[in-house]
Amino acid sequence: MVKIEFIEQLAELVKAKDLGEITVADGEEVVTIKGRKCTPPPPPMGGAPMPPMGMPLAQAPVMQQPAPQTAQAEAPAVSGNVVKSPIVGTFYAASAPDKPPFVTVGQQVKKGDVIMIIESMKLMNEVQSEFDGTVAEILVKNGEAVEFDQPIMIIK
């Protein structure tokens, strides 16, 4: 069990270092403390010394941050509705590796249709479409790490 003193120390560290977020894992126990600014770039930089702990290894693909930033820069140039990741995690296009993807480019979707899964802390979170339309573009690859509010796909 995580002690409150430990959580308070983490909160002070986040505040003192002006971090966006810090996650510490010990076995099945995971503690995440978010600071006032939750910008995606600090966790990959701060994550570099952490890989021996285990949980941050699963987050190592986040270091591929330049590709999503490029997608964010391109998203305004594309007309349509941008579907963004509601949480930090791993993008999955299908419910299982041997199953077809929920959606493909050119497919019609309706509001409420499941369009992807974001795995976060071993939980599979189904993401439903907020828009009616046609999938114009999928901006991330299956199994790729995604950040909160990162554009995932465009629906026209």
Side-chain angles (χ1 to χ4, degrees), residues 7-156:
I7 295 171
E8 289 172 345
Q9 289 174 344
L10 287 176
E12 286 299 318
L13 177 66
V14 167
K15 183 178 177 183
K17 300 288 185 180
D18 198 26
L19 300 174
E21 178 178 324
I22 188 169
T23 300
V24 177
D26 184 19
E28 291 186 20
E29 293 183 11
V30 178
V31 176
T32 299
I33 306 290
K34 295 184 179 186
R36 290 185 183 216
K37 66 173 193 175
C38 278
T39 56
M45 289 179 209
M50 297 175 127
M53 292 179 58
M55 180 67 177
L57 284 176
Q59 296 174 349
V62 175
M63 298 183 108
Q64 299 172 350
Q65 192 64 20
Q69 288 175 347
T70 304
Q72 286 176 347
E74 293 171 7
V78 176
S79 64
N81 298 308
V82 178
V83 178
K84 296 181 179 181
S85 177
I87 54 176
V88 174
T90 304
F91 167 80
Y92 292 109
S95 59
D98 60 336
K99 301 286 183 185
F102 292 109
V103 296
T104 56
V105 174
Q107 181 177 340
Q108 293 285 327
V109 294
K110 295 185 190 258
K111 186 174 182 175
D113 288 351
V114 175
I115 56 175
M116 71 182 95
I117 289 179
I118 303 291
E119 177 189 6
S120 181
M121 295 174 46
K122 298 183 183 180
L123 293 175
M124 299 298 180
N125 301 283
E126 290 185 345
V127 178
Q128 298 177 347
S129 177
E130 297 176 15
F131 313 105
D132 290 333
T134 304
V135 177
E137 189 174 357
I138 300 175
L139 305 170
V140 295
K141 294 177 183 159
N142 192 44
E144 188 173 308
V146 293
E147 293 292 328
F148 170 74
D149 214 28
Q150 175 181 336
I152 304 292
M153 65 179 67
I154 308 292
I155 298 177
K156 290 186 179 182

